[in-house]
Amino acid sequence: MPTKQFLQDPDLDFLAKCSNEDLKVFADLLVYGEDDKPRMSEALSKDRVYKENYPNNLQAAWKEIAHEFQLFGGNTFANLIRGYGVPYREILMDVCDKKNVNYKKTSSTERIEMYLIQKLMDDALDYMSDEQLQEVLADLKMDATQYATKEAAKDAIVMACMSPALLGRITAILAATLTLNPKLAIDAVVFGVRMMNLLVPALNVVLGLWLLTDIPGGPAYHVTIPGVVLIIHMRNKLRATNL
């Protein structure tokens, strides 16, 4: 995979302000596969700037990390010719298409991100039993008797989880599961006093079981899908800490 040039991308500029810990999670996702061995297609671990700053000063290598993600989102042959990958927004829309997300291409990047999170939540809830849904409703302090059908209960849960009070925790659960890094979810609870004070254990379990078995085929999607969710989580986390 080529490592020529970072494609300027306003949707990824915020990475320069992210914590070293979060950037390390992102970088490790790009470099290592599920077997903890380097991915065959990765080039980040060979980059001079990255090697000089890993693992303790990754803010200095955020462009190299972002460039690697852009390459994963592009066609390998096209990347080789042009020397760079594709912008984050294009990767996001490709992930949405792969997950059958209903969105408008003219919407803002952050709105499309929320459509994706909502679809992931909705799909995961389809795998829940009635008993698990009741548990989630109880965790969210919602009255189960208000919902006549399972679909009504699911819709109510999704609406609640997309609220500002819960969204940070939900994106943390999704990112922690998809990157196989539970520390993300734990950190969300620690710093997230302003975001929420609920653990939602049933969502942790069901999202974990479902997400790990529902990534579409193709090695790139094992990077781009969790990568997009992690970017959404980091963006929400940065916004919350700046409130």
Side-chain angles (χ1 to χ4, degrees):
M1 184 176 285
T3 54
K4 291 184 180 178
Q5 151 182 357
F6 167 64
L7 177 65
Q8 292 298 320
D9 190 342
D11 288 323
L12 294 180
D13 285 346
F14 82 98
L15 292 175
K17 301 177 182 178
C18 289
S19 70
N20 184 78
E21 291 74 18
D22 286 348
L23 289 173
K24 183 178 181 299
V25 173
F26 193 20
D28 286 347
L29 168 69
L30 299 173
V31 172
Y32 299 106
E34 295 177 6
D35 57 1
D36 290 329
K37 295 180 180 179
R39 300 181 188 276
M40 292 185 62
S41 56
E42 70 86 17
L44 183 60
S45 65
K46 305 171 187 66
D47 182 89
R48 179 186 60 80
V49 175
Y50 173 79
K51 289 193 292 185
E52 289 175 352
N53 291 283
Y54 184 90
N56 297 316
N57 187 35
L58 287 173
Q59 290 93 341
W62 76 268
K63 284 188 177 181
E64 286 70 24
I65 296 170
H67 171 57
E68 182 80 357
F69 185 64
Q70 291 172 335
L71 290 172
F72 269 105
N75 175 274
T76 302
F77 182 70
N79 290 344
L80 185 64
I81 293 175
R82 65 193 171 205
Y84 53 86
V86 298
Y88 168 73
R89 183 181 173 89
E90 186 173 327
I91 299 173
L92 170 64
M93 290 193 292
D94 180 59
V95 167
C96 286
D97 292 340
K98 198 70 175 178
K99 300 299 296 182
N100 297 314
V101 177
N102 184 20
Y103 69 97
K104 293 181 179 179
K105 292 186 177 181
T106 56
S107 294
S108 69
T109 297
E110 292 190 24
R111 182 175 288 274
I112 296 174
E113 288 177 335
M114 292 306 98
Y115 288 144
L116 173 62
I117 297 300
Q118 183 174 340
K119 182 62 163 57
L120 291 175
M121 282 292 304
D122 192 56
D123 286 352
L125 291 173
D126 282 338
Y127 284 76
M128 280 192 175
S129 65
D130 291 343
E131 182 177 325
Q132 288 172 318
L133 281 174
Q134 295 295 318
E135 183 180 347
V136 174
L137 288 169
D139 285 342
L140 297 174
K141 302 188 185 309
M142 300 168 69
D143 183 0
T145 63
Q146 293 184 2
Y147 310 107
T149 65
K150 183 176 181 178
E151 287 301 313
K154 280 174 44 188
D155 290 345
I157 291 170
V158 171
M159 290 290 289
C161 289
M162 296 303 293
S163 69
L166 292 175
L167 183 59
R169 172 62 174 158
I170 296 304
T171 59
I173 294 172
L174 294 168
T177 301
L178 286 168
T179 60
L180 301 177
N181 193 318
K183 187 177 183 296
L184 288 174
I186 295 171
D187 285 348
V189 176
V190 174
F191 100 94
V193 175
R194 289 174 294 174
M195 290 160 36
M196 67 174 289
N197 57 11
L198 300 171
L199 296 180
V200 199
L203 283 177
N204 279 345
V205 173
V206 173
L207 286 175
L209 292 174
W210 172 74
L211 285 170
L212 291 177
T213 60
D214 199 57
I215 295 179
Y221 286 106
H222 287 260
V223 174
T224 58
I225 292 178
V228 163
V229 173
L230 182 56
I231 286 170
I232 296 171
H233 166 62
M234 289 191 290
R235 197 193 311 279
N236 284 327
K237 182 176 178 179
L238 187 65
R239 183 186 299 112
T241 57
N242 290 333
L243 291 177

